Amino acid sequence: VYKSFPRYIELKKTKKRVHNEEYNLLIKKESIELSAPNATGIMHGIQTIIQLNPSAFENTEKKNNWQIPCVSIFDYPKFKHRGLLLDCSRHFFSVETIKKYIDLLAFYKMNVLHWHLTEDQAWRLAIDQYPKLTSVGAWRQGKDGQLYGGFYTKEDVKEILAYAKERHVEVVPEIEMPGH
């Protein structure tokens, strides 16, 4: 185990051996070497480094002394599709909440966000040609009598898609026709 963080981290591009998302992580006393055939593999390796000592990365105070184990890891996902469903049609979630959800998907090396946007309970996607889908269809009355809901603008969707892409998470929207 280190007494302090290594002097340098070396990132290398390699040829694929087994899987497109593979990575090889070698943590030695003086260095960390992370190699992968592409950016997705590199990102998975970085997530592994964070997972080896999550409290150091979550702590906001500056530390000069992290502990991280010396280890050699060659890893790749067993399954091509690794994802979770986020049902925003029944319960509206803010853009910031969706970004946190995407961060968690990336942290656990999942690669698909199944984003449920429409249902008989609500329509969450702004469509210029059909404004009533969101002015009426994105809202319902809660048990307390208050209006509940919301929808995502085109800008919100672009922001979420870009955020997911940076974290190597594919967004698969589920959009059904009204009144299905």
Side-chain angles (χ1 to χ4, degrees):
V1 175
Y2 284 132
K3 295 295 184 211
S4 61
F5 204 71
R7 291 184 195 188
Y8 67 92
I9 299 175
E10 182 180 3
L11 304 177
K12 295 179 185 177
K13 186 170 183 177
T14 59
K15 291 186 179 186
K16 180 178 95 168
R17 294 189 333 195
V18 178
H19 193 277
N20 279 334
E21 297 181 56
E22 72 186 38
Y23 66 92
N24 192 29
L25 178 63
L26 180 59
I27 301 176
K28 300 187 275 188
K29 190 167 184 146
E30 296 293 322
S31 66
I32 294 178
E33 296 174 17
L34 175 56
S35 57
N38 55 39
T40 303
I42 293 290
M43 194 231 18
H44 289 326
I46 291 170
Q47 295 300 335
T48 297
I49 293 169
I50 293 169
Q51 291 169 1
L52 289 170
N53 192 357
S55 61
F57 286 91
E58 292 172 6
N59 194 340
T60 55
E61 68 183 60
K62 191 173 183 177
K63 281 189 175 182
N64 293 331
N65 209 7
W66 286 358
Q67 291 186 346
I68 189 166
C70 292
V71 66
S72 177
I73 298 172
F74 175 73
D75 190 25
Y76 59 92
K78 183 175 182 179
F79 301 104
K80 185 175 181 179
H81 181 109
R82 303 168 317 280
L84 291 174
L85 165 71
L86 183 60
D87 188 350
C88 294
S89 60
R90 288 179 177 81
H91 299 285
F92 183 75
F93 295 100
S94 69
V95 171
E96 290 309 310
T97 299
I98 294 172
K99 286 180 175 181
K100 287 179 185 176
Y101 195 81
I102 291 167
D103 285 338
L104 287 170
L105 288 172
F107 180 75
Y108 290 109
K109 302 173 192 151
M110 295 187 155
N111 64 348
V112 177
L113 167 61
H114 179 133
W115 194 14
H116 194 177
L117 292 164
T118 65
E119 187 63 66
D120 59 337
Q121 284 87 2
W123 184 278
R124 303 290 183 204
L125 195 57
I127 307 292
D128 292 339
Q129 192 174 355
Y130 302 103
K132 282 192 172 183
L133 286 173
T134 52
S135 67
V136 175
W139 307 94
R140 67 176 185 249
Q141 195 171 23
K143 291 181 181 180
D144 60 359
Q146 297 292 316
L147 210 55
Y148 170 79
F151 62 93
Y152 304 104
T153 65
K154 289 180 182 179
E155 292 75 27
D156 292 336
V157 172
K158 287 177 187 176
E159 182 180 340
I160 290 167
L161 293 177
Y163 193 84
K165 186 176 182 178
E166 288 174 358
R167 285 148 185 81
H168 305 272
V169 174
E170 177 184 5
V171 178
V172 177
E174 182 177 338
I175 301 171
E176 297 147 354
M177 300 318 294
H180 80 288

